[in-house]
Amino acid sequence: MSVDNIKRKGRINANINDFMSKSGADKRRAISDLLFNNAMYIIIVLAIIYIAIRVPAFLSVSSIVNIISLTAAKLPIALGIGGAIVLTGTDISAGRCVGLTACIAASLLQMTGYANKIFPNLAVVPLWLVLLIVIAVGAAIGFVNGFFVAKFKLHPFIVTLSTQLIVFGLVLMYLMLGGNNGQTLSGLDESYLSFVRGTLFTIGGVAVPKYVLYAVILTGIMWVIWNKTKFGKNMFAVGSNEEAANVSGVNVFWTIVLVFVLAGAMYGITGFIEGARIASCSANTGLNYESDAIAACVIGGVSFVGGTGKISGIVIGVFLLQIIFVGLNFLSVDANMLYVIKGLIILVACSIDMRKYLARK
């Protein structure tokens, strides 16, 4: 038995002994706290079991691959917004940033000779260059967000609300270029579609798209940034206590700015993937994506009180959220009802998170 396993077994035995030594009232309180603190996971698991019983096709290979694919598509934006939440903030401009970058990617990668091409005289731009462009656009928006939050001590909600409106206006104006008159962007070049939606491998005859691999790579990169770099340590330090971090020599201004820049870059990558995934970009692309990302982060344990969060938790949060949404579609739940459910998930998850924080205090 390894040293880690011995230590883990020792901690489990200590927790059991501690529980058994408590009085009846303390045991009931401990069980109550355990159930309440994990209420969201319990509800989601029960919902999954219920859906699987009602609609057995929910657990089919095609359904599982669909859930994994949706998780991969929504993961980059959640990984970006998670950093803002670690800083006790948020970013409600994320969805519109995804929409703008998706439209930019789609406009630069339309087929040559396509009848409704937004820029008729423009050849198909190389994929790598388009990817760099959308990352730069996302990072620039993130820089604006981070600068105003760090420099003027404005609340991230106010700053990102402003940039949300600005970016949406930019999307609308961009779609008017070249005589496009606000029309949906489609007719994408096959190289773009193949790069994003092409088959990575098949499971039971069901294709797994390439962007699943890209999501895995991005997750690994973000894990390294959060856990193995000085920047990651500074981010958690600022999120835990900004004044203490400043006294300890952390450059609070640049840490905040870089967190939002990194988030913006992730939104740009999300937009690049989303442009090809849906293959039809409009002003509504990216609408409310930030609400899904925030809900996933909170479910995954990224706390709004700051300084707490794990990449693995965000991945689990996005995965569980997509399971619920796909399951609700299998139950033919009204699409409008999904907004109600998303709101309730965020409200309940935040309430549980705050209860945990108050209990620790």
Side-chain angles (χ1 to χ4, degrees), residues 318-336:
V318 176
F319 182 64
L320 291 176
L321 205 60
Q322 296 309 315
I323 288 177
I324 289 296
F325 293 158
V326 171
L328 292 174
N329 286 327
F330 269 94
L331 294 177
S332 300
V333 173
D334 182 22
N336 297 325

Side-chain angles (χ1 to χ4, degrees), residues 31-352:
I31 294 173
S32 175
D33 289 342
L34 179 65
L35 292 174
F36 189 90
N37 291 338
N38 295 281
M40 183 58 66
Y41 292 109
I42 295 171
I43 292 170
I44 290 175
V45 169
L46 291 176
I48 293 170
I49 294 172
Y50 172 76
I51 295 168
I53 293 173
R54 282 286 305 276
V55 189
F58 175 60
L59 296 180
S60 65
V61 174
S62 60
S63 175
I64 293 172
V65 170
N66 182 42
I67 291 170
I68 293 173
S69 299
L70 288 172
T71 300
K74 299 298 176 66
L75 191 54
I77 184 176
L79 293 172
I81 215 167
I85 297 176
V86 168
L87 294 181
T88 71
T90 187
D91 189 347
I92 61 173
S93 70
R96 291 303 185 187
C97 186
V98 169
L100 175 61
T101 51
C103 287
I104 292 173
S107 67
L108 298 178
L109 291 167
Q110 286 182 299
M111 292 185 293
T112 303
Y114 180 64
N116 295 322
K117 189 175 173 67
I118 188 171
F119 303 123
N121 299 321
L122 181 67
V124 178
V125 181
L127 281 174
W128 64 268
L129 181 57
V130 175
L131 180 58
L132 290 179
I133 290 171
V134 294
I135 289 175
V137 170
I141 296 170
F143 178 83
V144 172
N145 287 334
F147 178 82
F148 280 92
V149 170
K151 182 68 174 179
F152 301 104
K153 305 301 179 184
L154 299 175
H155 195 282
F157 178 84
I158 298 299
V159 174
T160 57
L161 173 63
S162 303
T163 51
Q164 179 193 58
L165 297 172
I166 293 169
V167 172
F168 183 49
L170 292 175
V171 173
L172 294 175
M173 290 188 290
Y174 189 83
L175 290 174
M176 296 298 292
L177 296 176
N180 190 61
N181 293 323
Q183 295 181 70
T184 298
L185 299 174
S186 55
L188 305 182
D189 190 73
E190 185 58 34
S191 63
Y192 181 31
L193 297 176
S194 177
F195 181 78
V196 175
R197 299 194 316 190
T199 301
L200 182 62
F201 58 85
T202 59
I203 300 177
V206 181
V208 176
K210 290 180 180 177
Y211 62 81
V212 172
L213 173 62
Y214 307 149
V216 172
I217 294 172
L218 287 173
T219 301
I221 292 172
M222 291 298 287
W223 184 88
V224 171
I225 292 174
W226 277 34
N227 297 284
K228 299 297 181 180
T229 66
K230 183 178 179 181
F231 165 72
K233 294 177 182 178
N234 289 346
M235 178 183 72
F236 283 102
V238 173
S240 297
N241 190 318
E242 185 176 320
E243 293 182 2
N246 187 44
V247 171
S248 300
V250 174
N251 191 323
V252 173
F253 173 83
W254 279 111
T255 298
I256 294 173
V257 169
L258 289 177
V259 166
F260 279 94
V261 168
L262 180 60
M266 297 301 286
Y267 307 154
I269 295 172
T270 306
F272 181 83
I273 293 173
E274 198 68 2
R277 190 181 76 88
I278 62 178
S280 181
C281 298
S282 68
N284 286 327
T285 300
L287 178 64
N288 291 326
Y289 278 27
E290 68 276 358
S291 63
D292 290 0
I294 292 170
C297 288
V298 177
I299 290 172
V302 184
S303 176
F304 271 102
V305 300
T308 303
K310 294 181 179 180
I311 294 296
S312 59
I314 296 175
V315 175
I316 292 171
V318 176
F319 182 64
L320 291 176
L321 205 60
Q322 296 309 315
I323 288 177
I324 289 296
F325 293 158
V326 171
L328 292 174
N329 286 327
F330 269 94
L331 294 177
S332 300
V333 173
D334 182 22
N336 297 325
M337 188 64 186
L338 292 179
Y339 289 103
V340 176
I341 294 171
K342 288 178 186 179
L344 288 174
I345 288 174
I346 294 174
L347 187 61
V348 172
C350 288
S351 298
I352 294 172

